[in-house]
Amino acid sequence: MKQIRRILIANRGEIAARIIHACREEGITSILAYSSADKNTLPVEMADESVCIGPPRADRSYLFIPSVIGAAKGLKADAVHPGYGFLAENGDFAEICEEQGLIFIGPSSKSIRLMGDKAAARALMTKIGVPVIPGTPGLVHSAEESLEAAGDMGYPVLVKAAAGGGGKGMRTAETPDELAAAVHEASEEARKAFGSGGVYIEKFMKNVHHVEIQIMADARGHVISLGERDCSAQRKHQKLIEESPSPLMTGTLRENMGKAAKKAARAAGYCGAGTVEFVVDRQGQFYFMEMNTRIQVEHPVTEMAVGTDLVRTMIRTAQGEPLPWDKDLVPRGWTIECRINAEDPARQFAPSPGVLKVYEPPRGRDLRVDSAMKEGSVISPFYDSMIAKVIVHKNSREEAINSMEQALGQFHIEGVPTTIPLQKQILSLPAFREGRVDTAYIETHLKDILQNMKEGKS
Amino acid sequence: MDKTDKEWIQELMNKFQQSEITKIKIRCGEIELEMEKEASRGKKSSGIISETDTDGQEGSQNPAEEEILSPLVGTFYAAPSPDEEPFVKEGAEITADTVVGMVESMKVFTEIPAGVQGSVQKILVHDGDFVEYDQPLFTVRTEQP
């Protein structure tokens, strides 16, 4: 077992701040690798050490493997935490870390590659008996093949890039006419973002919830489930609100989904924190979508729901420690998270970079705000527009929703438009209150939601 | 405001940008214009030379001095190999194309062109030092005083 003493954090924003906190609590030196655009950000201030690795463009800094590795080696880090996004699910990066004697805080490059190829992952799940969404067994190679497959499974269909993730490289086609464009766009987007444009086709599941299982595994092959997160409130495959438990969860369903998720992790030889995403229909049937081999944006939901620290546990399992639990964890009470972005819902969600003239996050019991912002912080045009994540934990769903409404009401931001008004509107929807918001709901009702938002209705 | 006014303001802005003045207030008829900028330190040239953050230091006393910044993070080498003479010494006359050092990252050596013409005034790092992106490596005197 190799004791980790110095971790290079290859990320920025709130997740960098989150990892710095975890390092501090573990007595580990945090070294933040940042781009010149992020020089004056809070994580650079917070980290024990920091190093500028390149210019603002991510492909010359946060995504540029030689500079990240060079910085880690030069500053004698013994481990690298990739956070989420950027290099977090890059098998080559994990492999280079392994070769360079750096502990990659995450699964092996082999597990990343296996699950990173969404088409291969589907095939693996079918083999081990985990139900998958009906779809093509592998990649589609021609227009005729796409049309035939989509016709067989019935429209609408979802075109997905095998290398996709984070909502990128995904398009729906409602009719055969839309299919060719959907294939082209999904493929091109994935080629640009991930360097590979292969796509497969899945049936577009209607009236389903997005329910994902958080798993944690150690190097000895011990895997446990930490319960679910329901992330059905989405817009364009971008999650807006996440909660645990899922409104449609039952004890039996959780047990069965947990079993399937653990089976998936074992089949991938998994180690560390991972998420197995499923869709669940009204009858309680669940289907594997994909496995994310990283810590996720919404991990605080699980941390508050089961009362643990996933990032610290990641560090510990990465240095070879066994999991601290011997059985599955079940969410207690109700936990909800809202993502607050610097986007203008009234203007097609245009990213709105700018300076936070006022930044006053809400405070309170059972309330957590994960952010790397303070008054005067700049929302940079170079990266994603997240300002903060607000998480509340209460005894019941109703209390949690009310408490979230209060928290958002107290969140005072000036200088850039934010998604707070939209989030408030969603929380007030009868469908949300009743736990009926499925993955298509927000998109389908967006016009009305935005109209009510404009009129200040609640 | 007509087109001529706009052009006049645009021209003023350009001149202000190029000048050493950091703050200016102009009133002309109905038009009131106020411009402010950070003090520049040295001229910009060649991508790797840039305004560096000198953390509270006032603008450079000598405008004819520039810094050569590291183009990437890694280990700085002053000479092509351990047995050879350094690329440049203090006082050396250089042109924009002169290689002044190398940065190594993952066994890839990247030459650093000076990007500026003048004489090397001070070498700010040592052979084998770990340097970060944009770190000043050399100061260069670009004009005779």
Side-chain angles (χ1 to χ4, degrees):
Chain A
M1 195 157 85
K2 188 184 169 190
Q3 190 83 33
I4 295 174
R5 299 192 186 281
R6 295 169 64 79
I7 293 179
L8 182 106
I9 300 163
N11 216 300
R12 61 180 304 282
E14 66 89 19
I15 194 62
R18 172 73 190 84
I19 300 164
I20 292 167
H21 276 300
C23 288
R24 216 174 266 168
E25 282 173 352
E26 288 289 306
I28 292 169
T29 302
S30 57
I31 310 164
L32 182 67
Y34 66 95
S35 83
S36 57
D38 282 334
K39 186 175 179 161
N40 298 314
T41 59
L42 206 51
V44 178
E45 258 175 59
M46 289 166 61
D48 296 321
E49 296 172 28
S50 61
V51 52
C52 185
I53 53 163
R57 273 184 51 179
D59 60 346
R60 305 300 301 161
S61 50
Y62 294 110
L63 286 170
F64 193 56
I65 295 175
S67 289
V68 175
I69 298 281
K73 299 291 280 181
L75 292 171
K76 303 195 165 37
D78 36 34
V80 176
H81 199 308
Y84 53 69
F86 296 129
L87 295 170
E89 291 175 280
N90 184 314
D92 295 343
F93 179 64
E95 187 181 334
I96 292 167
C97 284
E98 289 157 13
E99 282 169 5
Q100 297 281 325
L102 291 160
I103 296 175
F104 177 80
I105 302 177
S108 67
S109 54
K110 210 177 143 208
S111 303
I112 294 175
R113 287 196 180 112
L114 190 56
M115 286 302 178
D117 181 338
K118 309 295 177 201
R122 276 170 58 85
L124 178 66
M125 291 307 115
T126 309
K127 200 174 129 197
I128 61 169
V130 171
V132 299
I133 296 174
T136 54
L139 300 180
V140 287
H141 299 97
S142 69
E144 294 77 41
E145 196 186 342
S146 310
L147 279 168
E148 197 186 320
D152 286 349
M153 62 188 87
Y155 288 86
V157 297
L158 200 55
V159 180
K160 281 177 144 183
K168 279 202 177 125
M170 208 159 21
R171 289 289 185 280
T172 45
E174 300 280 342
T175 61
D177 297 342
E178 291 176 16
L179 189 61
V183 167
H184 178 77
E185 283 172 26
S187 174
E188 279 309 299
E189 193 169 280
R191 201 190 311 278
K192 273 182 202 145
F194 313 105
S196 126
V199 296
Y200 62 98
I201 300 175
E202 265 180 14
K203 185 166 175 56
F204 184 88
M205 303 289 277
K206 282 189 165 170
N207 308 317
V208 288
H209 279 235
H210 170 122
V211 181
E212 55 189 34
I213 302 288
Q214 175 71 53
I215 62 103
M216 199 81 213
D218 64 24
R220 298 161 200 208
H222 182 200
V223 189
I224 68 130
S225 153
L226 293 91
E228 77 280 8
R229 292 182 294 257
D230 190 311
C231 318
S232 302
Q234 309 183 351
R235 186 193 150 262
K236 297 209 172 215
H237 308 294
Q238 297 298 321
K239 296 164 184 167
L240 298 167
I241 300 177
E242 299 100 343
E243 59 185 310
S244 182
S246 162
L248 47 74
M249 193 50 71
T250 64
T252 318
L253 180 58
R254 180 179 294 126
E255 206 183 311
N256 289 339
M257 290 182 72
K259 267 188 200 159
K262 289 190 285 183
K263 215 172 178 184
R266 283 195 201 98
Y270 206 81
C271 181
T275 298
V276 185
E277 296 189 336
F278 297 95
V279 292
V280 182
D281 68 17
R282 282 177 180 166
Q283 287 73 45
Q285 293 294 318
F286 60 89
Y287 306 88
F288 172 87
M289 273 197 292
E290 60 183 53
M291 180 168 187
N292 295 321
T293 57
R294 57 166 195 267
I295 188 78
Q296 289 199 236
V297 175
E298 61 272 27
H299 76 276
V301 174
T302 299
E303 291 188 325
M304 288 189 89
V306 303
T308 189
D309 187 317
L310 288 171
V311 182
R312 286 177 71 181
T313 313
M314 278 179 96
I315 295 171
R316 290 178 172 226
T317 52
Q319 64 187 13
E321 288 183 40
L323 290 179
W325 316 284
D326 53 13
K327 57 176 196 260
D328 291 350
L329 304 185
V330 174
R332 301 164 311 186
W334 213 281
T335 311
I336 300 188
E337 173 182 274
C338 283
R339 300 189 187 190
I340 311 303
N341 292 336
E343 290 171 358
D344 192 346
R347 289 179 48 231
Q348 283 84 49
F349 294 83
S352 304
V355 179
L356 299 182
K357 288 182 195 137
V358 177
Y359 180 78
E360 288 163 12
R363 281 172 217 284
R365 255 166 55 91
D366 307 318
L367 170 69
R368 168 172 163 183
V369 179
D370 277 22
S371 175
M373 297 294 160
K374 57 176 183 177
E375 211 144 277
S377 288
V378 176
I379 309 289
S380 163
F382 298 105
Y383 313 110
D384 76 48
S385 58
M386 190 186 297
I387 301 177
K389 303 183 299 203
V390 182
I391 310 103
V392 297
H393 177 76
K394 290 285 172 189
N395 287 325
S396 69
R397 188 163 188 270
E398 194 186 353
E399 285 173 85
I401 297 174
N402 292 342
S403 170
M404 179 61 83
E405 282 185 329
Q406 261 181 13
L408 295 186
Q410 289 162 8
F411 206 155
H412 188 192
I413 296 173
E414 279 177 32
V416 297
T418 76
T419 49
I420 291 175
L422 174 82
Q423 296 285 29
K424 283 185 186 163
Q425 205 60 50
I426 296 172
L427 293 172
S428 74
L429 293 171
F432 187 82
R433 291 264 166 183
E434 289 156 22
R436 289 190 289 109
V437 165
D438 60 33
T439 51
Y441 190 93
I442 303 294
E443 197 72 56
T444 315
H445 296 83
L446 193 60
K447 228 176 133 187
D448 294 338
I449 296 170
L450 292 176
Q451 189 58 35
N452 288 340
M453 189 186 87
K454 247 187 214 165
E455 289 165 13
K457 276 188 203 161
S458 65
Chain B
M1 201 189 296
D2 61 23
K3 190 162 171 271
T4 353
D5 285 337
K6 276 191 191 156
E7 281 170 4
W8 175 72
I9 290 168
Q10 190 60 51
E11 196 181 326
L12 265 179
M13 282 168 70
N14 292 342
K15 289 213 166 130
F16 173 73
Q17 191 58 40
Q18 288 157 10
S19 75
E20 293 295 318
I21 307 165
T22 58
K23 199 171 176 182
I24 189 169
K25 204 169 177 179
I26 299 164
R27 191 177 298 155
C28 182
E30 281 174 21
I31 297 168
E32 198 176 323
L33 192 66
E34 196 174 340
M35 290 189 278
E36 196 173 344
K37 66 173 183 185
E38 275 181 54
S40 65
R41 302 172 191 92
K43 283 174 287 184
K44 274 196 175 189
S45 74
S46 108
I48 54 161
I49 309 283
S50 79
E51 293 175 42
T52 52
D53 190 343
T54 47
D55 288 330
Q57 278 177 38
E58 283 305 305
S60 169
Q61 294 299 307
N62 183 355
E65 187 182 287
E66 289 188 21
E67 283 171 339
I68 300 173
L69 309 178
S70 177
L72 76 167
V73 65
T75 307
F76 172 80
Y77 290 101
S81 73
D83 315 326
E84 289 180 68
E85 285 289 300
F87 290 103
V88 290
K89 291 179 176 168
E90 286 176 4
E93 293 296 321
I94 55 170
T95 68
D97 299 332
T98 309
V99 172
V100 291
M102 287 190 301
V103 176
E104 178 264 338
S105 189
M106 287 185 77
K107 300 193 175 70
V108 175
F109 290 81
T110 305
E111 290 184 342
I112 309 166
V116 62
Q117 183 163 354
S119 66
V120 176
Q121 195 169 28
K122 202 163 173 24
I123 303 174
L124 305 167
V125 287
H126 299 102
D127 187 73
D129 276 1
F130 176 75
V131 295
E132 57 185 339
Y133 173 77
D134 259 2
Q135 181 174 332
L137 306 175
F138 302 85
T139 55
V140 177
R141 186 178 292 271
T142 52
E143 280 168 31
Q144 293 306 320

